[in-house]
Amino acid sequence: MLSLALGFSAGVMIYVSFMELLLLSFESLSGIYGHTYGQLIGVTSFISGLLVMLFIDQLFDHHSIADFISRSSNKEESLLIRTGVFSAIALAIHNFPEGFATFTAAVYDPAVGATLAIAIAIHNIPEGLAVSVPIYYATKSKSKAFWISFASGLAEPLGAVIGFLIFRTVYNEALFGISFALCAGIMIYVSLNELLPVSKEYGKPSDPIMGVTAGIIVMAISLILMYA
């Protein structure tokens, strides 16, 4: 179920990114800067989203979630604690743009924002395990494992707050267009570099693509019905 859920989440975010956020970006920017320059700005913003997430991963030496979960309980306590705290910091930085992306989508269309929120929530479950498991094994304290994991998740609402502050002061089509493309890049990176590799660690080899296909189908139908 975890493998299918992660694949489903990836499918939803991939479809939304290419068929919703990126198209909305092109539409907004083309209306301001013309077709060619509008799409060029949109593509540049999309690539910037990818590069931002790549920079974050490289800066914090981000490992796969499976590596953290599979650490055995006989490791030195200090190593386990460092692992848990490090992963909490890395995931907090990693989660910040996801909160901004969800807020941006929800401001423009609450239905799209809700869909992204659900997809991101699904893939945050194993991320929470990545933080809490090594800390629990090291300290045998459920409360410490819970609160440190909880704290790392607070980065997403913080990202939403930043988005609120930005759009409260500057609210125009150009900013929306750039934000949509930037968020699409973030979502694609998360899907391809985080969700699908971890999804392959669980279940059957065909489960990830089944989940992706189901996510795309559900998202496609929901968007068609939403705009019908």
Side-chain angles (χ1 to χ4, degrees):
M1 287 301 298
L2 179 60
S3 179
L4 288 170
L6 290 171
F8 183 88
S9 178
V12 167
M13 288 199 279
I14 290 171
Y15 189 88
V16 168
S17 295
F18 284 123
M19 301 301 293
E20 186 75 7
L21 297 182
L22 204 55
L23 293 182
L24 287 173
S25 172
F26 290 159
E27 180 181 341
S28 297
L29 295 173
S30 295
I32 301 172
Y33 302 105
H35 179 75
T36 301
Y37 285 109
Q39 290 206 349
L40 181 60
I41 295 173
V43 170
T44 301
S45 301
F46 175 78
I47 294 174
S48 297
L50 293 172
L51 293 177
V52 165
M53 296 306 294
L54 177 62
F55 174 76
I56 290 173
D57 274 351
Q58 295 299 317
L59 182 64
F60 288 91
D61 191 23
H62 188 67
H63 301 290
S64 70
I65 295 170
D67 289 338
F68 286 118
I69 296 176
S70 65
R71 291 183 184 272
S72 72
S73 60
N74 61 6
K75 298 286 186 180
E76 293 291 334
E77 290 186 1
S78 59
L79 175 61
L80 285 172
I81 293 175
R82 285 198 303 269
T83 297
V85 172
F86 169 79
S87 58
I89 295 173
L91 290 173
I93 300 298
H94 178 85
N95 287 340
F96 179 83
E98 293 179 0
F100 179 80
T102 304
F103 178 85
T104 303
V107 168
Y108 191 86
D109 191 329
V112 176
T115 301
L116 279 182
I118 293 172
I120 290 174
I122 292 173
H123 96 265
N124 280 349
I125 293 174
E127 288 185 353
L129 291 174
V131 177
S132 60
V133 167
I135 292 176
Y136 173 72
Y137 273 120
T139 64
K140 298 299 185 290
S141 171
K142 294 181 180 179
S143 62
K144 288 182 180 179
F146 171 81
W147 286 113
I148 293 176
S149 177
F150 178 79
S152 71
L154 292 178
E156 290 198 15
L158 180 60
V161 170
I162 299 298
F164 168 76
L165 294 175
I166 292 174
F167 284 108
R168 187 180 66 171
T169 56
V170 182
Y171 193 89
N172 57 55
E173 284 292 320
L175 182 60
F176 263 118
I178 293 172
S179 297
F180 284 144
L182 187 71
C183 293
I186 292 171
M187 294 294 101
I188 292 299
Y189 188 95
V190 170
S191 298
L192 299 182
N193 191 60
E194 298 291 333
L195 301 186
L196 292 181
V198 177
S199 176
K200 292 180 68 175
E201 298 291 328
Y202 303 92
K204 300 177 182 178
S206 60
D207 285 343
I209 189 60
M210 290 175 61
V212 168
T213 303
I216 289 175
I217 292 173
V218 170
M219 195 63 239
I221 293 174
S222 65
L223 287 177
I224 291 172
L225 293 176
M226 185 171 62
Y227 292 116

